[in-house]
Structure formats: C-alpha cells, structure tokens
Coordinates of all heavy atoms in Angstrom, one line a residue:
M1 N 12.2 -3.4 0.8 CA 12.0 -4.7 0.4 C 10.9 -5.5 1.1 O 10.5 -6.5 0.8 CB 13.4 -5.6 0.4 CG 14.4 -5.1 -0.5 SD 14.0 -5.4 -2.2 CE 15.2 -4.5 -3.0
A2 N 10.5 -4.9 2.2 CA 9.4 -5.6 3.0 C 8.2 -5.6 2.2 O 7.3 -6.5 2.5 CB 9.2 -4.9 4.3
G3 N 8.0 -4.7 1.3 CA 6.8 -4.7 0.5 C 6.6 -6.1 -0.4 O 5.5 -6.5 -0.6
F4 N 7.8 -6.6 -0.7 CA 7.7 -7.8 -1.5 C 7.1 -9.1 -0.6 O 6.5 -9.8 -1.2 CB 9.1 -8.2 -2.1 CG 9.5 -7.2 -3.1 CD1 10.6 -6.5 -3.1 CD2 8.7 -7.1 -4.3 CE1 11.1 -5.6 -4.2 CE2 9.0 -6.1 -5.3 CZ 10.3 -5.5 -5.3
G5 N 7.5 -9.0 0.6 CA 7.0 -10.1 1.5 C 5.5 -10.0 1.6 O 4.8 -11.0 1.5
V6 N 5.0 -8.8 1.8 CA 3.5 -8.7 1.9 C 2.9 -9.0 0.6 O 1.9 -9.8 0.4 CB 3.1 -7.2 2.3 CG1 1.7 -7.0 2.2 CG2 3.7 -6.9 3.6
A7 N 3.5 -8.6 -0.6 CA 3.0 -8.9 -1.9 C 3.0 -10.5 -2.0 O 2.0 -11.0 -2.6 CB 3.6 -8.3 -3.0
N8 N 4.0 -11.1 -1.7 CA 4.1 -12.6 -1.8 C 3.1 -13.4 -1.1 O 2.4 -14.2 -1.5 CB 5.5 -13.0 -1.5 CG 6.5 -12.7 -2.6 OD1 6.1 -12.6 -3.8 ND2 7.7 -12.7 -2.2
E9 N 2.8 -12.8 0.2 CA 1.8 -13.4 1.1 C 0.4 -13.1 0.5 O -0.5 -14.1 0.4 CB 1.8 -12.8 2.4 CG 2.9 -13.3 3.3 CD 2.8 -14.8 3.5 OE1 1.6 -15.2 3.8 OE2 3.8 -15.5 3.3
R10 N 0.1 -12.0 -0.1 CA -1.2 -11.6 -0.8 C -1.4 -12.6 -2.1 O -2.3 -13.1 -2.3 CB -1.2 -10.2 -1.3 CG -1.3 -9.3 -0.2 CD -2.8 -9.3 0.4 NE -2.8 -9.4 1.9 CZ -3.8 -9.7 2.5 NH1 -5.0 -10.0 2.1 NH2 -3.6 -9.8 3.9
L11 N -0.3 -12.8 -2.8 CA -0.2 -13.7 -4.0 C -0.6 -15.2 -3.5 O -1.4 -15.9 -4.1 CB 1.0 -13.7 -4.8 CG 1.1 -12.4 -5.5 CD1 2.5 -12.4 -6.3 CD2 0.0 -12.4 -6.7
R12 N 0.1 -15.6 -2.4 CA -0.2 -16.9 -1.8 C -1.6 -17.2 -1.5 O -2.3 -18.1 -1.7 CB 0.8 -17.3 -0.7 CG 2.1 -17.8 -1.2 CD 3.0 -18.4 -0.1 NE 3.6 -17.4 0.8 CZ 4.7 -16.8 0.4 NH1 5.4 -17.1 -0.7 NH2 5.3 -15.9 1.3
A13 N -2.2 -16.1 -0.8 CA -3.5 -16.1 -0.5 C -4.5 -16.2 -1.6 O -5.5 -17.0 -1.6 CB -3.9 -14.9 0.6
L14 N -4.2 -15.5 -2.6 CA -5.1 -15.6 -3.9 C -5.0 -16.9 -4.5 O -6.0 -17.4 -5.0 CB -4.6 -14.4 -4.8 CG -5.1 -13.0 -4.4 CD1 -4.5 -12.0 -5.3 CD2 -6.6 -12.8 -4.3
E15 N -3.8 -17.5 -4.5 CA -3.6 -18.9 -5.0 C -4.4 -19.8 -4.2 O -5.0 -20.8 -4.8 CB -2.2 -19.3 -5.1 CG -1.3 -18.5 -6.1 CD 0.1 -18.8 -6.0 OE1 0.5 -19.3 -5.0 OE2 0.8 -18.2 -6.9
E16 N -4.4 -19.8 -2.9 CA -5.2 -20.6 -2.1 C -6.7 -20.5 -2.4 O -7.6 -21.4 -2.5 CB -5.0 -20.3 -0.6 CG -5.8 -21.2 0.4 CD -5.6 -22.7 0.1 OE1 -4.5 -23.1 -0.2 OE2 -6.5 -23.5 0.5
L17 N -7.1 -19.2 -2.5 CA -8.5 -18.9 -2.9 C -8.9 -19.5 -4.2 O -9.9 -20.0 -4.4 CB -8.7 -17.4 -2.9 CG -10.0 -16.8 -3.3 CD1 -11.2 -17.3 -2.2 CD2 -10.0 -15.3 -3.3
E18 N -8.0 -19.4 -5.1 CA -8.2 -20.1 -6.4 C -8.5 -21.6 -6.3 O -9.4 -22.2 -6.9 CB -7.0 -19.8 -7.4 CG -7.3 -20.4 -8.8 CD -6.1 -20.0 -9.8 OE1 -5.0 -19.7 -9.2 OE2 -6.2 -20.2 -10.9
R19 N -7.7 -22.2 -5.5 CA -7.8 -23.7 -5.2 C -9.2 -23.9 -4.7 O -9.8 -24.9 -4.9 CB -6.7 -24.2 -4.4 CG -5.5 -24.4 -5.1 CD -4.4 -25.1 -4.3 NE -3.8 -24.3 -3.2 CZ -2.7 -23.5 -3.4 NH1 -2.3 -23.4 -4.6 NH2 -2.4 -22.8 -2.3
E20 N -9.7 -23.1 -3.6 CA -10.8 -23.2 -2.9 C -12.0 -23.1 -4.0 O -13.0 -23.8 -3.8 CB -11.0 -22.3 -1.8 CG -10.2 -22.7 -0.6 CD -10.5 -24.0 0.0 OE1 -11.7 -24.4 0.1 OE2 -9.8 -24.7 0.4
I21 N -11.9 -22.2 -4.8 CA -13.0 -21.9 -5.8 C -13.1 -23.2 -6.6 O -14.2 -23.8 -7.0 CB -12.7 -20.7 -6.6 CG1 -12.9 -19.4 -5.9 CG2 -13.6 -20.7 -7.9 CD1 -12.4 -18.2 -6.4
G22 N -12.0 -23.8 -7.1 CA -11.9 -25.0 -7.8 C -12.6 -26.2 -7.1 O -13.4 -27.0 -7.5
A23 N -12.3 -26.2 -5.7 CA -12.9 -27.3 -5.0 C -14.4 -27.1 -4.8 O -15.1 -28.1 -4.8 CB -12.2 -27.3 -3.5
S24 N -14.8 -25.9 -4.6 CA -16.3 -25.7 -4.7 C -16.9 -26.0 -5.9 O -18.1 -26.6 -5.8 CB -16.5 -24.2 -4.2 OG -16.2 -23.4 -5.2
L25 N -16.4 -25.7 -7.0 CA -17.1 -26.0 -8.2 C -17.0 -27.5 -8.4 O -18.0 -28.1 -9.0 CB -16.2 -25.4 -9.3 CG -16.4 -23.8 -9.5 CD1 -15.4 -23.3 -10.6 CD2 -17.8 -23.4 -9.9
Q26 N -16.0 -28.2 -7.9 CA -15.9 -29.7 -8.0 C -17.0 -30.3 -7.2 O -17.7 -31.2 -7.6 CB -14.5 -30.2 -7.7 CG -14.4 -31.7 -7.9 CD -13.0 -32.2 -7.5 OE1 -12.2 -31.5 -6.9 NE2 -12.7 -33.4 -7.9
S27 N -17.2 -29.7 -6.0 CA -18.2 -30.3 -5.1 C -19.6 -30.1 -5.9 O -20.4 -31.0 -5.8 CB -18.2 -29.6 -3.9 OG -17.0 -30.0 -3.1
A28 N -19.9 -28.8 -6.3 CA -21.2 -28.6 -6.9 C -21.3 -29.6 -8.2 O -22.5 -30.0 -8.3 CB -21.1 -27.2 -7.5
G29 N -20.3 -29.8 -8.9 CA -20.4 -30.8 -10.0 C -20.8 -32.1 -9.6 O -21.6 -32.8 -10.3
L30 N -20.2 -32.6 -8.5 CA -20.5 -33.9 -7.9 C -21.9 -33.9 -7.5 O -22.6 -35.0 -7.6 CB -19.5 -34.2 -6.9 CG -18.1 -34.5 -7.3 CD1 -17.1 -34.7 -6.1 CD2 -18.0 -35.7 -8.3
V31 N -22.5 -32.9 -6.8 CA -23.8 -32.8 -6.4 C -24.7 -32.9 -7.6 O -25.7 -33.8 -7.5 CB -24.2 -31.5 -5.6 CG1 -25.7 -31.3 -5.3 CG2 -23.4 -31.6 -4.2
I32 N -24.5 -32.2 -8.7 CA -25.3 -32.2 -9.9 C -25.2 -33.6 -10.4 O -26.2 -34.1 -10.9 CB -24.8 -31.1 -10.8 CG1 -25.2 -29.7 -10.2 CG2 -25.5 -31.3 -12.3 CD1 -24.5 -28.6 -11.1
L33 N -24.1 -34.2 -10.5 CA -23.9 -35.6 -11.1 C -24.8 -36.6 -10.2 O -25.5 -37.4 -10.8 CB -22.5 -36.0 -11.0 CG -22.1 -37.4 -11.6 CD1 -22.4 -37.4 -13.2 CD2 -20.7 -37.7 -11.4
E34 N -24.8 -36.5 -9.0 CA -25.5 -37.4 -8.1 C -27.1 -37.2 -8.2 O -27.8 -38.2 -8.3 CB -25.2 -37.1 -6.6 CG -25.7 -38.2 -5.8 CD -25.2 -39.7 -6.0 OE1 -24.1 -39.9 -6.5 OE2 -26.1 -40.6 -5.7
L35 N -27.4 -35.9 -8.3 CA -28.8 -35.5 -8.6 C -29.3 -36.0 -10.0 O -30.6 -36.3 -10.1 CB -29.0 -34.0 -8.5 CG -29.0 -33.5 -7.1 CD1 -29.1 -32.0 -7.2 CD2 -30.2 -34.0 -6.3
S36 N -28.4 -36.2 -10.9 CA -28.9 -36.7 -12.3 C -29.1 -38.1 -12.2 O -29.7 -38.5 -13.3 CB -27.8 -36.2 -13.3 OG -26.7 -37.0 -13.1
K37 N -28.7 -38.9 -11.3 CA -28.8 -40.3 -11.2 C -30.3 -40.5 -11.1 O -31.1 -39.8 -10.4 CB -28.1 -40.9 -10.2 CG -26.6 -40.8 -10.5 CD -25.8 -41.5 -9.4 CE -24.3 -41.4 -9.5 NZ -23.5 -42.0 -8.5
E38 N -30.8 -41.8 -11.6 CA -32.1 -42.2 -11.4 C -32.5 -42.3 -9.9 O -33.6 -41.9 -9.3 CB -32.4 -43.4 -12.1 CG -33.9 -43.9 -12.0 CD -34.1 -45.1 -12.9 OE1 -33.5 -45.2 -14.1 OE2 -34.8 -45.9 -12.6
K39 N -31.5 -42.9 -9.1 CA -31.8 -43.1 -7.7 C -30.5 -42.5 -6.8 O -29.7 -43.2 -6.6 CB -31.9 -44.5 -7.4 CG -33.2 -45.2 -7.8 CD -33.2 -46.6 -7.4 CE -34.6 -47.2 -7.9 NZ -34.7 -48.6 -7.5
P40 N -30.5 -41.2 -6.6 CA -29.4 -40.5 -6.0 C -29.2 -41.1 -4.5 O -30.3 -41.3 -3.8 CB -29.7 -39.0 -6.1 CG -31.1 -38.9 -6.5 CD -31.5 -40.2 -7.0
Q41 N -28.1 -41.3 -4.1 CA -27.8 -41.6 -2.8 C -27.8 -40.4 -1.8 O -26.9 -39.4 -2.0 CB -26.5 -42.3 -2.6 CG -26.4 -43.6 -3.4 CD -25.1 -44.2 -3.3 OE1 -24.2 -43.8 -2.5 NE2 -24.9 -45.4 -4.0
E42 N -28.7 -40.3 -0.9 CA -28.9 -39.1 0.0 C -27.6 -38.9 0.8 O -27.2 -37.7 1.0 CB -30.1 -39.2 1.0 CG -30.4 -38.1 1.7 CD -31.6 -38.3 2.5 OE1 -32.6 -39.1 2.1 OE2 -31.8 -37.6 3.5
R43 N -27.0 -40.0 1.2 CA -25.8 -39.8 2.2 C -24.7 -39.0 1.2 O -24.1 -38.2 1.7 CB -25.4 -41.2 2.6 CG -24.2 -41.1 3.6 CD -23.8 -42.5 4.1 NE -22.7 -43.0 3.3 CZ -22.7 -44.0 2.6 NH1 -23.7 -44.8 2.4 NH2 -21.7 -44.3 1.8
H44 N -24.5 -39.5 0.0 CA -23.5 -38.9 -0.9 C -23.9 -37.6 -1.1 O -23.0 -36.6 -1.1 CB -23.4 -39.8 -2.1 CG -22.4 -39.3 -3.0 ND1 -20.9 -39.6 -2.7 CD2 -22.2 -38.7 -4.2 CE1 -20.2 -39.0 -3.6 NE2 -20.9 -38.7 -4.5
L45 N -25.1 -37.2 -1.4 CA -25.5 -35.9 -1.6 C -25.2 -34.9 -0.4 O -24.9 -33.8 -0.6 CB -27.1 -35.8 -2.0 CG -27.5 -36.0 -3.4 CD1 -29.0 -36.2 -3.4 CD2 -27.0 -35.1 -4.3
D46 N -25.7 -35.5 0.7 CA -25.4 -34.7 1.9 C -24.0 -34.2 2.2 O -23.6 -33.1 2.5 CB -25.9 -35.4 3.2 CG -27.5 -35.4 3.2 OD1 -28.2 -34.6 2.5 OD2 -28.0 -36.2 4.0
R47 N -23.1 -35.3 1.9 CA -21.6 -35.1 2.1 C -21.2 -34.1 1.2 O -20.4 -33.1 1.4 CB -20.9 -36.4 2.1 CG -19.4 -36.3 2.3 CD -18.7 -37.6 2.2 NE -18.7 -38.3 1.0 CZ -19.4 -39.5 0.7 NH1 -19.9 -40.0 1.7 NH2 -19.4 -39.9 -0.4
Q48 N -21.4 -34.2 -0.2 CA -20.9 -33.3 -1.2 C -21.6 -31.9 -1.0 O -20.8 -30.8 -1.2 CB -21.4 -33.9 -2.5 CG -20.7 -35.1 -3.1 CD -19.1 -34.8 -3.0 OE1 -18.6 -33.8 -3.2 NE2 -18.3 -35.9 -2.7
A49 N -22.9 -31.8 -0.6 CA -23.4 -30.5 -0.4 C -22.8 -29.9 0.8 O -22.4 -28.5 0.8 CB -24.9 -30.6 -0.1
A50 N -22.4 -30.5 1.8 CA -21.7 -30.0 3.0 C -20.3 -29.5 2.6 O -19.9 -28.4 3.0 CB -21.6 -30.9 4.1
Q51 N -19.6 -30.2 1.7 CA -18.3 -29.8 1.2 C -18.5 -28.6 0.4 O -17.5 -27.6 0.4 CB -17.6 -31.0 0.4 CG -17.1 -32.0 1.3 CD -16.6 -33.2 0.4 OE1 -16.6 -33.2 -0.8 NE2 -15.9 -34.2 1.1
F52 N -19.5 -28.4 -0.4 CA -19.7 -27.3 -1.3 C -19.9 -26.1 -0.4 O -19.5 -25.0 -0.5 CB -20.8 -27.5 -2.2 CG -21.3 -26.3 -3.0 CD1 -20.5 -25.8 -4.0 CD2 -22.5 -25.6 -2.6 CE1 -20.8 -24.7 -4.7 CE2 -22.8 -24.4 -3.4 CZ -22.0 -23.9 -4.3
G53 N -20.8 -26.3 0.7 CA -21.2 -25.2 1.6 C -19.8 -24.7 2.3 O -19.7 -23.4 2.6
A54 N -19.0 -25.6 2.8 CA -17.8 -25.2 3.5 C -16.9 -24.5 2.6 O -16.2 -23.5 2.9 CB -17.2 -26.5 4.1
A55 N -16.6 -25.0 1.4 CA -15.8 -24.3 0.5 C -16.3 -22.9 0.0 O -15.5 -22.0 0.0 CB -15.7 -25.2 -0.8
V56 N -17.5 -22.8 -0.1 CA -18.1 -21.4 -0.5 C -18.0 -20.4 0.7 O -17.5 -19.3 0.5 CB -19.5 -21.4 -0.9 CG1 -20.3 -20.2 -0.9 CG2 -19.8 -22.2 -2.2
A57 N -18.1 -20.9 2.0 CA -18.0 -20.1 3.2 C -16.6 -19.7 3.3 O -16.2 -18.5 3.6 CB -18.4 -20.9 4.4
K58 N -15.5 -20.5 2.9 CA -14.1 -20.2 2.9 C -13.8 -19.2 2.0 O -13.0 -18.3 2.2 CB -13.3 -21.5 2.8 CG -11.8 -21.3 3.2 CD -11.2 -22.7 3.2 CE -9.7 -22.4 3.6 NZ -8.9 -23.7 3.7
V59 N -14.3 -19.5 0.7 CA -14.1 -18.5 -0.4 C -14.6 -17.1 0.0 O -13.9 -16.1 -0.2 CB -14.7 -19.0 -1.7 CG1 -14.7 -17.8 -2.7 CG2 -13.8 -20.2 -2.2
E60 N -15.8 -17.0 0.4 CA -16.5 -15.8 1.0 C -15.7 -15.1 2.0 O -15.4 -13.8 1.8 CB -17.9 -16.0 1.4 CG -18.6 -14.8 1.8 CD -20.1 -15.0 2.3 OE1 -20.3 -16.2 2.7 OE2 -20.8 -14.0 2.4
A61 N -15.1 -15.8 3.0 CA -14.4 -15.2 4.0 C -13.1 -14.7 3.5 O -12.7 -13.5 3.9 CB -14.1 -16.2 5.2
E62 N -12.4 -15.5 2.6 CA -11.0 -14.9 2.1 C -11.3 -13.7 1.1 O -10.4 -12.8 1.2 CB -10.5 -16.0 1.3 CG -9.0 -15.8 0.8 CD -8.1 -15.2 2.0 OE1 -8.2 -15.7 3.0 OE2 -7.3 -14.3 1.6
L63 N -12.4 -13.8 0.3 CA -12.6 -12.6 -0.5 C -12.9 -11.4 0.3 O -12.4 -10.3 0.0 CB -13.8 -12.9 -1.4 CG -13.5 -13.8 -2.7 CD1 -14.8 -14.1 -3.3 CD2 -12.5 -13.0 -3.6
S64 N -13.6 -11.5 1.4 CA -13.8 -10.3 2.3 C -12.5 -9.9 2.9 O -12.4 -8.6 3.0 CB -14.8 -10.8 3.5 OG -16.1 -11.1 2.8
A65 N -11.6 -10.8 3.3 CA -10.5 -10.3 3.8 C -9.5 -9.7 2.8 O -8.9 -8.6 3.1 CB -9.6 -11.6 4.4
Q66 N -9.6 -10.1 1.6 CA -8.9 -9.5 0.5 C -9.4 -8.1 0.2 O -8.6 -7.1 0.1 CB -8.9 -10.3 -0.8 CG -8.1 -11.6 -0.8 CD -6.7 -11.4 -0.7 OE1 -6.1 -10.4 -1.3 NE2 -5.9 -12.4 -0.3
I67 N -10.7 -8.0 0.2 CA -11.4 -6.6 -0.1 C -11.0 -5.6 1.1 O -10.6 -4.5 0.8 CB -12.9 -6.8 -0.3 CG1 -13.2 -7.5 -1.6 CG2 -13.5 -5.5 -0.2 CD1 -14.6 -8.0 -1.7
R68 N -11.2 -6.1 2.3 CA -10.7 -5.3 3.5 C -9.2 -4.8 3.3 O -9.0 -3.6 3.6 CB -10.9 -6.0 4.8 CG -12.3 -6.0 5.3 CD -12.4 -6.5 6.7 NE -11.8 -7.8 7.0 CZ -12.4 -8.9 6.8 NH1 -13.6 -9.0 6.2 NH2 -11.8 -10.1 7.0
Y69 N -8.3 -5.7 3.0 CA -7.0 -5.3 2.9 C -6.9 -4.3 1.7 O -6.1 -3.2 1.9 CB -6.1 -6.6 2.5 CG -4.7 -6.3 2.2 CD1 -3.7 -5.9 3.1 CD2 -4.3 -6.3 0.8 CE1 -2.5 -5.6 2.8 CE2 -3.0 -5.9 0.4 CZ -2.1 -5.6 1.6 OH -0.8 -5.2 1.1
L70 N -7.5 -4.5 0.7 CA -7.3 -3.7 -0.5 C -7.9 -2.3 -0.3 O -7.3 -1.3 -0.7 CB -7.8 -4.2 -1.8 CG -7.1 -5.4 -2.3 CD1 -8.0 -6.1 -3.5 CD2 -5.8 -5.1 -2.8
T71 N -8.9 -2.2 0.6 CA -9.5 -0.9 0.9 C -8.6 -0.1 1.9 O -8.8 1.1 1.9 CB -10.9 -1.0 1.4 OG1 -10.8 -1.8 2.7 CG2 -11.8 -1.6 0.3
Q72 N -7.6 -0.8 2.5 CA -6.9 -0.1 3.6 C -5.5 0.3 3.1 O -4.7 1.0 3.6 CB -6.6 -1.1 4.8 CG -7.9 -1.3 5.5 CD -7.7 -2.3 6.6 OE1 -6.6 -2.9 6.8 NE2 -8.8 -2.7 7.4
V73 N -5.1 -0.3 1.8 CA -3.8 -0.1 1.3 C -3.8 1.0 0.2 O -4.9 1.0 -0.6 CB -3.3 -1.3 0.6 CG1 -2.0 -1.0 -0.1 CG2 -3.1 -2.4 1.7
R74 N -3.1 1.9 0.3 CA -2.9 3.1 -0.6 C -2.1 2.7 -1.8 O -1.0 2.1 -1.6 CB -2.5 4.4 0.0 CG -3.5 4.9 1.0 CD -3.1 6.4 1.5 NE -1.7 6.4 1.7 CZ -1.2 7.1 2.8 NH1 -2.0 7.5 3.7 NH2 0.1 7.1 3.0
P75 N -2.4 3.1 -2.9 CA -1.4 2.8 -4.1 C 0.0 3.3 -3.7 O 0.1 4.4 -3.1 CB -2.0 3.7 -5.2 CG -3.5 3.8 -4.9 CD -3.5 4.0 -3.4
G76 N 1.0 2.6 -4.1 CA 2.3 3.0 -3.8 C 2.9 2.5 -2.5 O 4.1 2.8 -2.3
E77 N 2.2 1.9 -1.7 CA 2.6 1.4 -0.5 C 2.9 -0.1 -0.5 O 2.4 -0.8 -1.2 CB 1.6 1.6 0.6 CG 1.7 3.0 1.1 CD 0.8 3.2 2.3 OE1 0.4 2.4 2.9 OE2 0.4 4.4 2.5

C-alpha cells in the first residue's frame, strides 16, 4: 500500500505544477495587456515580467524533477 502514498504525492506535485503553469500564463497575459496600452507603466511591466520569470523557473524545475523521477521508476513499482 505504500505505493499509493507515493502516487498520491506525485499527483499532488502535478496539480501544483498545473497551478504554476496557469499562474505563468496569467502573468504573461498581464504583460501583453500592459504592452498593448498606449502608455504602458514600466513598473507594472517589470513586476509582471518578474512574476512570469519566477513561475516559468518553478515550472521548469518541477518538470525536471518529474522527469528524473519517471526515469528512475520501473513499470510495476
């Protein structure tokens, strides 16, 4: 039954990853929205761009961790 605990943890990690992807897309959308304005506010752009970069870095790190895990696990374990 210990396998279910690991599987549940993996599912939770994937759900968090999904939330982070959503957050990165939202940040990107806000950057694009600000850029579409006639006079974009640089401070707002910088903040949204920083949030986007942080979200993308977190997604990249979690995807790498998931890939490492999957390459180490054999089917049936």
Side-chain angles (χ1 to χ4, degrees):
M1 293 292 169
F4 288 121
V6 173
N8 285 336
E9 281 301 312
R10 290 283 133 195
L11 286 174
R12 277 193 279 279
L14 289 172
E15 288 170 350
E16 177 62 26
L17 181 58
E18 182 179 14
R19 283 189 287 277
E20 284 300 321
I21 291 170
S24 67
L25 291 173
Q26 184 176 14
S27 294
L30 291 171
V31 168
I32 292 169
L33 181 64
E34 190 65 30
L35 286 171
S36 70
K37 294 179 179 177
E38 190 172 316
K39 293 184 179 182
Q41 295 180 5
E42 188 173 331
R43 189 179 92 242
H44 188 69
L45 273 174
D46 289 343
R47 185 175 62 243
Q48 292 300 329
Q51 287 177 353
F52 175 73
V56 168
K58 192 170 181 181
V59 167
E60 182 181 18
E62 185 57 37
L63 282 174
S64 293
Q66 290 288 338
I67 290 168
R68 278 193 306 277
Y69 172 77
L70 290 172
T71 58
Q72 295 173 0
V73 176
R74 293 190 315 224
E77 285 189 15

